[in-house]
Amino acid sequence: MGNTRFSAVMLGYVVYVLAASLLVGVAGYRPSTLVSFLMALPAAGAVGYAVLWKFRSVNSREGLERHVQLEAMAAAFLITMLSSLTYALLEVFASVAPISMWFVWTVGMLAWCAASVVLNRKYG
């Protein structure tokens, strides 16, 4: 049941973020600061739920499976932070164009996936 509930929350999160992105990006709706804050609350709640769920999920695992997940998350965090810091320095010192946070998120998720695959092959 835990995975089903998590999947439903994440599906709702994706649908909500896509709808809000289309409303603001494509339709050109420009909400007030208060409405923007209120629009961000459901997404922030879903992210908080996902973080707590992931902590519980990793803590419920044992042995090698837990080790692989923790090591993959640590590697993804380092890759994401170092690449973000490097690009931030390029923005400041070399005046390169700023990037979207979607890019940073994508780097983090791809790094996590890649580290998971590599570590599962290493230990499996």
Side-chain angles (χ1 to χ4, degrees):
M1 167 143 170
N3 285 339
T4 305
R5 183 175 177 193
F6 177 75
S7 297
V9 169
M10 289 299 100
L11 178 62
Y13 169 76
V14 169
V15 169
Y16 183 80
V17 168
L18 286 175
S21 297
L22 289 173
L23 181 66
V24 173
V26 175
Y29 175 67
R30 297 290 174 242
S32 67
T33 304
L34 176 63
V35 173
S36 295
F37 176 78
L38 293 174
M39 284 176 66
L41 283 180
V47 168
Y49 176 78
V51 168
L52 291 175
W53 184 88
K54 190 61 185 174
F55 279 128
R56 284 182 43 206
S57 172
V58 169
N59 285 332
S60 69
R61 298 175 188 205
E62 294 182 3
L64 186 58
E65 188 178 357
R66 182 178 185 175
H67 176 76
V68 167
Q69 278 299 304
L70 290 173
E71 203 170 318
M73 284 189 283
F77 176 79
L78 287 173
I79 291 167
T80 305
M81 291 302 103
L82 290 175
S83 60
S84 297
L85 175 63
T86 301
Y87 201 89
L89 291 172
L90 288 172
E91 283 182 15
V92 172
F93 297 126
S95 299
V96 296
I99 56 173
S100 168
M101 286 307 295
W102 286 112
F103 184 77
V104 175
W105 179 87
T106 302
V107 167
M109 292 299 103
L110 290 176
W112 186 12
C113 289
S116 294
V117 169
V118 168
L119 291 168
N120 276 318
R121 293 192 79 185
K122 175 183 175 184
Y123 295 119

